[in-house]
Amino acid sequence: MENLNWQIKQFNELSTTETYQILALRSLVFVVEQNCVYQDIDNKDQKAFHLFCIENNQIIAYARLFKAGDYFNEASIGRVVVHPNYRGKNNGHKLMQQAILLCENILHETKITISAQQYLKKFYETHGFVQTSAMYLEDDIPHIQMQKG
């Protein structure tokens, strides 16, 4: 994954294949792997910018980005996911670096709010995020709100 093929698209720019692969990856990790039944298709994808990395014609890392006011008062990054076969190689960090860079360069936002799964607190702290809320349950999974900037 050294020559990474990063793409950023708005919802109406995604091909049907890209949309399908994004939803399949999110379902694989957030529903099946985490054993969490929840409504992933939340009518927010239409407002999001979709950041993804393709390798061998397959989306292997993904996040969605929101302008300030579209999800939180500040810009936001969510649905951060790396395919299980591509973990352990800093791909999650590369994904977050790209997401933060695009928030700054495309959305022109430096203040970013996320709803992070609590067990990933240290991961997000390495990217400059700090915890700004007490733990809360989202779809029965412990989360915390974090901010950067």
Side-chain angles (χ1 to χ4, degrees):
M1 222 170 113
E2 285 315 305
N3 288 328
L4 302 177
N5 181 2
W6 290 104
Q7 298 192 31
I8 181 90
K9 295 185 178 183
Q10 291 183 288
F11 185 76
N12 63 350
E13 298 171 321
L14 293 168
S15 71
T16 52
T17 299
E18 290 165 342
T19 302
Y20 184 87
Q21 288 185 14
I22 288 166
L23 295 174
L25 177 58
R26 288 176 7 188
S27 179
L28 171 69
V29 174
F30 298 131
V31 177
V32 178
E33 182 179 286
Q34 295 183 354
N35 195 25
C36 179
V37 177
Y38 84 109
Q39 186 62 45
D40 177 50
I41 299 173
D42 58 2
N43 288 310
K44 292 180 179 155
D45 288 311
Q46 294 90 327
K47 287 186 175 184
F49 287 81
H50 301 269
L51 169 65
F52 53 95
C53 183
I54 298 175
E55 187 169 287
N56 298 322
N57 297 315
Q58 191 68 34
I59 293 176
I60 56 100
Y62 169 85
R64 66 182 187 180
L65 288 58
F66 292 95
K67 295 184 284 189
D70 280 350
Y71 196 95
F72 290 107
N73 289 334
E74 301 78 26
S76 177
I77 300 168
R79 299 290 200 269
V80 176
V81 61
V82 174
H83 191 285
N85 295 344
Y86 292 86
R87 293 184 191 150
K89 301 170 186 161
N90 282 322
N91 293 326
H93 289 290
K94 293 171 188 173
L95 174 60
M96 281 306 295
Q97 289 165 356
Q98 285 291 318
I100 292 165
L101 193 66
L102 291 169
C103 280
E104 294 169 351
N105 294 334
I106 290 179
L107 305 182
H108 308 291
E109 301 281 352
T110 54
K111 191 168 188 179
I112 304 168
T113 299
I114 61 172
S115 178
Q117 291 187 10
Q118 189 174 31
Y119 83 97
L120 291 168
K121 179 182 179 205
K122 289 188 186 331
F123 169 80
Y124 289 113
E125 285 174 340
T126 66
H127 294 280
F129 287 88
V130 294
Q131 183 173 343
T132 56
S133 78
M135 186 279 290
Y136 56 92
L137 290 178
E138 188 174 305
D139 302 311
D140 290 328
I141 295 175
H143 280 70
I144 52 174
Q145 189 167 303
M146 300 184 82
Q147 283 190 338
K148 172 183 176 62

